[in-house]
Amino acid sequence: RGLNFACDGFSIHPYSKTAAEAAELVREYRDAGVTQPVLITEWNRPVAEIAEYVGWLNTLGPGPHFWFAWSDGMVPGFGLFDDQGQPKAEYHALKEAIAMATTDELQAEIEQLQRQQSILTAALRRVVEGNWQGAEGAAALIVALEGGQTTIEAAPGPKDP
């Protein structure tokens, strides 16, 4: 019951677990008192299990959730690509499963995140280029993403002595 640390989420790597076994592992974290998001930051499954696993990952929210590994050059047999950079069956199965699992609701979330990313990128570009109006001496940008609205403002830096 003492697993609720001051953090934004927990990361787990259920490499050898099926979707049902990974779901049980997440339930165990929840039963232990974890209320933050649980992120699957490294997973890998055989082609026949990928669609089911992606379906289960969608029940956790938009993620991020990460496949391990990019290529067999990193860890032989685990990649989405072979050691020559060619897509493997796992790549195609994952791509298809993601496309099939993209519901209208999830698509709306993705589009909202893309809009927020565009706004943040534009704001950060203005800061880097020195074109941020009224942000002289700003120590940080405050980005608020609430209720589908994005607000960006400069936080004042420390006062000069």
Side-chain angles (χ1 to χ4, degrees), residues 60-83:
L60 295 177
H65 308 295
F66 303 102
W67 177 277
F68 181 86
W70 179 254
S71 80
D72 286 347
M74 296 172 65
V75 179
F78 280 80
L80 292 172
F81 295 84
D82 65 21
D83 58 0

Side-chain angles (χ1 to χ4, degrees), residues 140-152:
L141 288 179
I142 299 172
V143 181
L145 308 173
E146 296 181 22
Q149 299 296 314
T150 306
T151 306
I152 302 174

Side-chain angles (χ1 to χ4, degrees), residues 94-139:
L94 180 59
K95 184 176 176 183
E96 182 178 329
I98 289 170
M100 290 176 55
T102 305
T103 63
D104 290 340
E105 182 178 316
L106 184 56
Q107 186 62 39
E109 287 183 40
I110 290 168
E111 289 169 5
Q112 179 181 350
L113 289 171
Q114 288 171 335
R115 283 191 302 275
Q116 291 168 346
Q117 178 185 9
S118 295
I119 291 167
L120 182 57
T121 300
L124 290 174
R125 186 174 294 119
R126 287 171 47 200
V127 169
V128 169
E129 293 171 355
N131 297 327
W132 183 261
Q133 297 298 319
E136 292 76 25

